[in-house]
Amino acid sequence: MFERVRPRNLEDFEEPRMVPLGGHLFGACFFLMKLLPARFMLKRAVERGQLAPGGTICESSSGTFALALAMLSVLNGYRLLIVGDWALDRNLRRRLLQLGAELDIVEEPHPIGGFQLARLERLQEHLRRRPGSYWPAQYYNEDNPISYSKVAACFIDAVGPIDCLVGTVGSGGSMCGTARYLRMLFPDLTVIGVDTHNSVLFGQPNAPRKVSGLGGGIVPANVDHTQFDEIHWLPASEIMASAHDLHGRHGLFMGPTSGAAFRVARWWSDCNPGKTVVAIFPDEGHRYADTVYDEAWLKSSIPGWNGTRMEEPTAVSSPTVDMTSWAKYPWRRRNLSDVLGDLPPRI
């Protein structure tokens, strides 16, 4: 007799695979991490009467949150409008169109807030023209970090007590939400946020960045700075090389943000033998086959990507200093205003 196989839905793909990476280091490998907060936000919106059957969802995204919304919209019969920018690569754009999403691509950055703020302003225009549409607002919707209680529970079930959590920061949902829940059980947990140069999230001046899904030109309300003990900034060359390391050494074909988290987590784990470390790897690498994993693109777009690697980060005296290589700063669970003095506008 054959055992009946239970039908699967997208919710079955929300939990990560916990992969040992040597010593006490584990990688939390997600198929598409943004499926979890997207589904949770839509579910809560339906419960509150904010999203009606067959309704329209409008969101600003040029990354995996857009893809998660598109997949969920197809399954649940919603219409979807995505406001994106250059970071929405051709493969992702094609998938979104195949899933029935309407796309509006912003061509020019905002003079202060870059493409993120320009996208949000364009989004507001669409919301005014489409009364009754729902905006998930991943940057400040509290349901975003709340949804990661499920992830924290998965980590504890898989590896037990955790000493250090490492991950990249974008909207703030994954790192801040997961850290908040883990600290209920492990108050001494070390939380390390990974950012990139020219990102304002932790005090760098805003300028164009070469890695999508990491950093930002605005400070989202969901970035809870008081959760972080230490911040690391990585250049694009180090991020790309680390994604290749993760693939070549461990067979994990993941995106560039996973490479960034792996680089910092590997270093911290080596410096703290015996400590259990979990690094968050948000998505798989298939979307980046023509960029991150293409030698020709890397040579033309990321100077020095395969050059000399730093063995450890350089400690900096302030998050605002000019950075060209891997740097770290002791954040010590402080507010942004406590560190910088003047709080930037929050969106």
Side-chain angles (χ1 to χ4, degrees), residues 58-116:
C58 299
E59 182 59 293
S60 165
S61 174
S62 284
T64 53
F65 190 66
L67 179 58
L69 287 175
M71 295 167 71
L72 292 164
S73 294
V74 165
L75 290 182
N76 294 283
Y78 299 126
R79 294 182 295 274
L80 176 64
L81 166 72
I82 294 294
V83 178
D85 58 40
W86 67 269
L88 205 157
D89 60 84
R90 64 186 181 124
N91 291 327
L92 179 55
R93 186 180 306 200
R94 181 165 54 242
R95 287 192 67 182
L96 292 174
L97 291 173
Q98 290 171 347
L99 289 167
E102 177 184 349
L103 303 181
D104 183 2
I105 305 301
V106 173
E107 301 292 344
E108 297 293 331
H110 188 279
I112 298 176
F115 278 104
Q116 275 182 300

Side-chain angles (χ1 to χ4, degrees), residues 114-183:
F115 278 104
Q116 275 182 300
L117 189 53
R119 290 193 333 237
L120 287 171
E121 290 185 346
R122 180 75 61 82
L123 178 67
Q124 295 306 313
E125 297 174 10
H126 285 288
L127 291 170
R128 285 192 291 269
R129 291 198 296 265
R130 303 172 189 229
S133 57
Y134 172 65
W135 177 25
Q138 64 164 324
Y139 297 142
Y140 72 82
N141 187 335
E142 293 181 353
D143 289 335
N144 183 357
I146 288 173
S147 69
Y148 285 92
S149 61
K150 180 179 181 180
V151 170
C154 289
F155 291 176
I156 296 169
D157 288 343
V159 303
I162 300 170
D163 298 297
C164 181
L165 176 70
V166 182
T168 56
V169 185
S171 72
S174 61
M175 279 298 290
C176 299
T178 305
R180 192 174 296 139
Y181 286 105
L182 287 177
R183 280 218 174 100

Side-chain angles (χ1 to χ4, degrees), residues 289-312:
D290 294 337
T291 53
V292 177
Y293 291 98
D294 182 82
E295 292 279 347
W297 182 88
L298 286 167
K299 289 179 180 178
S300 63
S301 304
I302 312 294
W305 83 271
N306 203 20
T308 303
R309 306 282 300 280
M310 292 184 64
E311 294 185 2
E312 60 183 13

Side-chain angles (χ1 to χ4, degrees), residues 8 12-21 25-33 151 154-155 157-159 246-247 250-255 258 277-286:
R8 306 187 73 181
D12 294 321
F13 294 91
E14 292 177 354
E15 297 184 4
R17 293 178 295 123
M18 300 299 292
V19 180
L21 301 174
L25 173 61
F26 297 85
C29 302
F30 287 87
F31 161 68
L32 183 64
M33 185 178 69
V151 170
C154 289
F155 291 176
D157 288 343
V159 303
L246 188 57
H247 188 213
H250 299 284
L252 296 177
F253 190 54
M254 310 300 292
S258 301
V277 186
V278 173
I280 296 178
F281 300 158
D283 65 339
E284 296 182 336
H286 307 289

Side-chain angles (χ1 to χ4, degrees), residues 35 87 93 100-101 156-157 194 206 218 241-242 259 274 276 284-285 296 319 328:
L35 275 173
R93 186 180 306 200
I156 296 169
D157 288 343
V194 184
N206 187 36
I218 61 173
S242 297
T276 299
E284 296 182 336
K328 69 170 184 174

